[in-house]
Amino acid sequence: MNEIFLDTETTGLSVNDKHRIVEIACIETNDLTPTKRIFHKIINPQREVPEEAFKIHGFSTDFLRNKETFDKVADEFLEFIKEKKIIIHNASFDLGFLNYQLKLIRKNEIKRNNIIDSLEVARGKFPGSSNSLDALCRRFNIDLSKRIKHNALLDCELLREVYINLLDA
């Protein structure tokens, strides 16, 4: 079975405040080796991007204004992840946003049965330690020099390296 490493960037931290996705990235692997199939979209959230979020990912309201909206990319995204094991760091966050936006456009939510949360795996192996993606990269000596801002595609690549190291830890 192929795996998908998935990450999102958003306008904020909570769907309760009607925050939305601004970037979705997925890297497909087969036995954890990249297949070269990638899904990557920058998305118009149809709302303002708060300054705090802009500082994290660098996507401004003006930059996102002419991008596709979530409803235009949802079917392609769902087809890309269909019947694959999905690996996400802090899955409740990303799935919360994805399922919120899928619900808004009357699409079925993503089920948790094919989801592996690498944050839960890390907490099981390193209880009491910081298990953020950055902290795990430092723990496993994974190069973070390209990570100036949060970027979903780069974070998927980093997550793949972290996950492989977690399996060996």
Side-chain angles (χ1 to χ4, degrees):
M1 174 188 273
N2 287 3
E3 308 90 13
I4 297 289
F5 288 88
L6 183 150
D7 190 45
T8 63
E9 296 299 332
T10 63
T11 61
L13 298 177
S14 175
V15 296
N16 294 333
D17 297 326
K18 300 197 179 351
H19 283 289
R20 303 277 186 97
I21 295 169
V22 297
E23 182 184 25
I24 302 174
C26 301
I27 296 176
E28 183 187 70
T29 61
N30 184 292
D31 293 328
L32 305 177
T33 301
T35 64
K36 301 200 173 164
R37 290 192 66 231
I38 292 173
F39 177 89
H40 182 231
K41 298 288 181 182
I42 308 292
I43 297 170
N44 175 351
Q46 299 177 291
R47 60 158 289 156
E48 294 293 312
V49 176
E51 185 65 24
E52 305 84 52
F54 173 75
K55 287 177 184 174
I56 291 169
H57 52 59
F59 297 125
S60 69
T61 303
D62 284 341
F63 174 76
L64 296 168
R65 189 166 279 122
N66 297 321
K67 303 300 180 200
E68 293 176 289
T69 53
F70 184 81
D71 61 311
K72 301 288 191 266
V73 304
D75 287 336
E76 183 184 354
F77 166 70
L78 291 170
E79 187 60 34
F80 191 84
I81 66 168
K82 185 178 175 182
E83 297 177 10
K84 296 183 179 101
K85 181 172 24 174
I86 303 169
I87 301 155
I88 307 173
H89 198 74
N90 193 7
S92 60
F93 179 84
D94 296 272
L95 279 181
F97 275 92
L98 289 164
N99 285 335
Y100 168 69
Q101 291 205 228
L102 287 166
K103 189 175 178 180
L104 288 176
I105 60 171
R106 295 181 172 88
K107 299 269 184 197
N108 290 334
E109 292 185 356
I110 299 167
K111 303 271 188 271
R112 287 191 165 264
N113 56 338
N114 278 339
I115 305 292
I116 294 174
D117 188 340
S118 58
L119 179 58
E120 290 177 11
V121 174
R123 285 177 175 158
K125 292 194 181 243
F126 310 114
S129 297
S130 174
N131 288 303
S132 69
L133 191 58
D134 283 353
L136 291 167
C137 285
R138 286 189 290 277
R139 174 185 292 273
F140 296 127
N141 296 314
I142 295 167
D143 183 8
L144 281 168
S145 63
K146 293 180 189 168
R147 195 169 197 238
I148 298 157
K149 296 260 186 204
H150 282 249
N151 170 288
L153 191 56
L154 176 58
D155 287 358
C156 285
E157 293 170 7
L158 294 172
L159 175 55
R160 185 181 75 82
E161 291 185 56
V162 162
Y163 187 69
I164 289 168
N165 279 279
L166 278 174
L167 294 178
D168 290 341

